[in-house]
Amino acid sequence: MQTVGYVDGISGGEIIGWARKVGDPKALAEINIVAESGHIIPWKPTHYRPDVCNVCGEQGIFGFHVPISFLLNFGSIFSFFTVDGQKLNNGRVEIPSDEGFEVGPVSVPECNVYLHIQKTMGTSVVNVIHNSLEKSRFLSIYPQFGLSVPQFIRLPLHQRRTLKLVVGHTSFGVGRYLGNRANHLTVVREPMARVRSHLMHILSNSGPTYNLCGVDYTVDEVVNNGLTDEFDNLQVRMIAGLYEGEIPLGEISLDDAELAIHNIEQSFSYIGTLEKFRETAKTFLRCLDITEQELPHLNEAKSQVVQKYQDTIERIDWDRVRKRHLPEIALYEYVCQK
């Protein structure tokens, strides 16, 4: 399948461009960066490029970013090729010697992994990350606008080792694919408040009907019965590293909460609560090597829209939902005490 692409050039401390497989937007293109010395460095796109998507009429991950400090280990003149030997447009880059670029490590010693639990102000955090860090040093694991976990795992190992941050709706354990030390961070929320917020988010964006595997359910059915992991101890699942396929819906236990607590004690440099996040955000941003700044309010449910679905909300059996979330309540209480 034909790969096409373009090298935009040097921006900040990285070389940026795009590459895509024509007709297969879900697949990551593969390119080879060839140093003048002959050293070949495989690389893949990791970032969403809306400009490219708009032009080609396809949605996919097409943007690549390569840190210059990494490339300088192999020379200063590079050509960018597809894997079948076709040179990308504008595909020759010479790194100037008079602009202060310095050789950096081939592999960073550790990478932060931010587990973005839904409805814990994570969208606001991700917005700050995108505006603060070079894209060659982080990637996102999200549906549509980020990589999938299998795509992340199949990035060249040397590319994964240049990352300083992985962020997304993913679970504990993804850090084992980095090839260096993983340092975890996350924010949790009072479980019933998080469930209510996610309920409001769905009603605001999709209305009172929820489609699962081709079957339409009412949203209250989904919440009352815990038909998705978002409504079945999601915070325990993500911090314990328990995917739905490993622990079926409805079977999360207090033992799983204990596993999540163990992971926090062994592998997390920061865990906070949304309720006190404004007080601890400075520490959180410092862990990510981001300058202290005000976090924007993003992705909030619109109350005027939700009011249309009051009947759906009134059909929620909150006692039943709370009983199912007892493991998550235990986890949250531990974090509050910590």
Side-chain angles (χ1 to χ4, degrees), residues 207-236:
T209 303
Y210 200 102
N211 187 278
L212 290 172
C213 301
V215 179
D216 286 335
Y217 296 88
T218 61
V219 170
D220 53 284
E221 286 181 296
V222 175
V223 178
N224 285 334
N225 296 291
L227 298 184
T228 70
D229 54 7
E230 291 91 349
F231 298 112
D232 182 44
N233 292 276
L234 177 69
Q235 298 178 107
V236 171

Side-chain angles (χ1 to χ4, degrees), residues 24-153:
D24 190 5
K26 294 184 178 180
L28 293 183
E30 301 172 72
I31 62 173
N32 286 326
I33 306 170
V34 182
E36 196 173 46
S37 62
H39 197 100
I40 299 174
I41 308 164
W43 209 263
K44 289 184 178 182
T46 52
H47 286 268
Y48 181 69
R49 283 282 298 262
D51 56 336
V52 178
C53 294
N54 290 338
V55 171
C56 72
E58 295 179 327
Q59 296 293 312
I61 302 300
F62 304 138
F64 62 80
H65 300 254
V66 191
I68 288 175
S69 60
F70 166 81
L71 287 176
L72 285 174
N73 288 279
F74 309 101
S76 60
I77 300 176
F78 299 90
S79 297
F80 290 69
F81 293 89
T82 66
V83 290
D84 56 3
Q86 299 299 310
K87 194 171 186 178
L88 298 188
N89 291 326
N90 199 37
R92 183 182 184 276
V93 178
E94 181 172 357
I95 300 171
S97 60
D98 58 352
E99 294 193 11
F101 295 119
E102 297 181 354
V103 179
V106 173
S107 174
V108 300
E110 67 177 26
C111 177
N112 289 314
V113 179
Y114 167 44
L115 304 183
H116 172 188
I117 298 171
Q118 290 92 319
K119 310 315 296 178
T120 59
M121 206 173 172
T123 301
S124 302
V125 172
V126 171
N127 179 268
V128 169
I129 289 170
H130 275 267
N131 292 327
S132 303
L133 300 179
E134 289 186 335
K135 289 183 171 57
S136 59
R137 295 303 189 178
F138 79 92
L139 61 77
S140 302
I141 298 177
Y142 289 108
Q144 188 176 357
F145 299 118
L147 300 186
S148 66
V149 171
Q151 286 175 326
F152 168 67
I153 294 171

